[in-house]
């Protein structure tokens, strides 16, 4: 079940709040309003969007919102629950045979787990099961990398468009040196476009942080899938449930493994 990943919006909000606080504490409300410049915003955001259109096909760009949404969602994947599931399945498989696991599939939501169990039930060799499931992992990793690359590229392009806006502002300013009233607005474009470009990318408030969050989620998802592969191989080989549990436990976080070991010592005592 997916939940809202509050750290992403909270992090963005904290970053923006610190910038706003710094501006207001130094220049007041009027100083803050001076940092809002529509032409500068249009140069940066419009330029970034334009370069994304050149860099990626329309079909991929349409998914940018859906991909970015993943950074604001948290899908709970509990490694301990997966270990428990395979321990239960291995016990049943040893008692009643692999075919008995078909009745358990309805209670499993993860399609990757289902696919692996079905391969085991069909009697596919362990090497082939690993090859098929790892091929799916590679496909997932590639798909996620393509989606993430849009935010990585946007983060790369934003500072460049900020510099372009700076050059535009400087050219306009130099051409209007004889008109003092236009120096301020042109200088604002020159400086604020760089500010917006850095804020969106290199100062890590949007594009690059979202790409990093997506990379972290992909890494965790692939790790969980590797755990599932080991569980499926154990099922197919008819391994003892305690052996399956011991093998899969190594994938659990160190802190939770230590806590479980302490509980086992208490039970034995």
């Amino acid at each position: 079940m997916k939940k809202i990943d509050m750290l992403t919006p909270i992090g963005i909000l904290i970053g923006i709040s610190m910038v706003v606080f710094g501006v207001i504490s130094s220049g007041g409300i009027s100083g803050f309003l001076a940092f809002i410049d529509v032409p500068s915003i249009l140069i940066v955001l419009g330029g970034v969007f334009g370069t994304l259109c050149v860099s990626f096909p329309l079909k991929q760009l349409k998914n940018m919102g859906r991909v970015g949404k993943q950074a604001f969602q948290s899908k709970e994947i509990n490694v301990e629950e997966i270990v428990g599931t395979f321990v239960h399945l291995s016990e049943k498989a040893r008692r009643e045979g692999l075919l008995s696991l078909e009745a358990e599939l309805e209670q499993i939501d993860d399609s990757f787990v289902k696919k692996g169990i079905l391969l085991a039930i069909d009697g596919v060799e362990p090497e082939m099961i690993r090859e098929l499931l790892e091929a799916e992992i590679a496909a997932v990793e590639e798909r996620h990398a393509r989606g993430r690359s849009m935010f990585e590229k946007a983060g790369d392009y934003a500072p460049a468009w900020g510099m372009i806006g700076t050059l535009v502002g400087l050219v306009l300013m130099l051409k209007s040196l004889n008109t003092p009233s236009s120096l301020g607005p042109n200088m604002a474009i020159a400086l604020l476009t760089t500010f917006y470009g850095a804020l969106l990318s290199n100062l890590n408030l949007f594009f690059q942080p979202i790409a990093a969050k997506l990379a972290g989620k992909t890494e965790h998802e692939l790790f969980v899938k590797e755990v599932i592969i080991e569980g499926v191989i154990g099922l197919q080989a008819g391994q003892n449930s305690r052996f399956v549990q011991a093998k899969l436990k190594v994938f659990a976080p160190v802190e939770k493994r230590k806590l479980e070991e302490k509980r086992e010592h208490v039970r034995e005592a």
Side-chain angles (χ1 to χ4, degrees), residues 126-184:
E127 296 79 10
M128 184 61 69
I129 291 177
R130 187 181 296 277
E131 184 178 340
L132 290 171
L133 294 182
E134 287 185 346
E136 184 167 335
I137 287 179
V140 170
E141 186 174 15
E142 174 63 24
R143 186 171 66 251
H144 287 194
R146 285 201 305 269
R148 188 171 64 247
S149 66
M150 291 184 287
F151 288 90
E152 292 171 342
K153 288 299 183 182
D156 292 338
Y157 296 148
W161 280 101
M163 290 304 299
I164 290 173
T166 297
L167 295 174
V168 170
L170 288 175
V171 169
L172 293 174
M173 184 184 68
L174 292 174
K175 291 187 68 174
S176 59
L177 287 177
N178 294 330
T179 311
S181 61
S182 65
L183 292 180

Side-chain angles (χ1 to χ4, degrees), residues 62-161:
K62 285 181 178 179
N63 292 325
M64 189 172 183
R66 182 181 59 80
V67 172
K69 186 179 178 181
Q70 303 301 315
F72 295 85
Q73 293 180 334
S74 177
K75 184 180 179 181
E76 294 183 358
I77 306 178
N78 193 313
V79 176
E80 291 75 26
E81 288 183 4
I82 292 174
V83 173
T85 297
F86 278 103
V87 168
H88 166 70
L89 293 174
S90 63
E91 289 175 349
K92 184 168 184 177
R94 284 177 65 85
R95 289 196 314 266
E96 306 173 25
L98 282 173
L99 289 176
S100 66
L101 300 184
E102 286 184 316
E104 300 286 334
L105 293 178
E106 295 180 359
Q107 302 175 15
I108 298 175
D109 296 327
D110 193 306
S111 60
F112 191 75
V113 175
K114 282 185 176 180
K115 181 176 181 178
I117 294 174
L118 285 172
L119 289 172
I121 292 173
D122 291 339
V124 179
E125 292 297 320
E127 296 79 10
M128 184 61 69
I129 291 177
R130 187 181 296 277
E131 184 178 340
L132 290 171
L133 294 182
E134 287 185 346
E136 184 167 335
I137 287 179
V140 170
E141 186 174 15
E142 174 63 24
R143 186 171 66 251
H144 287 194
R146 285 201 305 269
R148 188 171 64 247
S149 66
M150 291 184 287
F151 288 90
E152 292 171 342
K153 288 299 183 182
D156 292 338
Y157 296 148
W161 280 101

Side-chain angles (χ1 to χ4, degrees), residues 32-65:
F32 172 72
L33 294 176
F35 276 78
I36 300 176
D37 186 76
V38 175
S40 299
I41 294 173
L42 291 177
I43 288 174
V44 175
L45 291 183
V48 169
F49 179 72
T51 47
L52 288 178
C53 289
V54 175
S55 303
F56 298 96
L58 179 60
K59 183 178 180 180
Q60 190 171 345
L61 280 177
K62 285 181 178 179
N63 292 325
M64 189 172 183

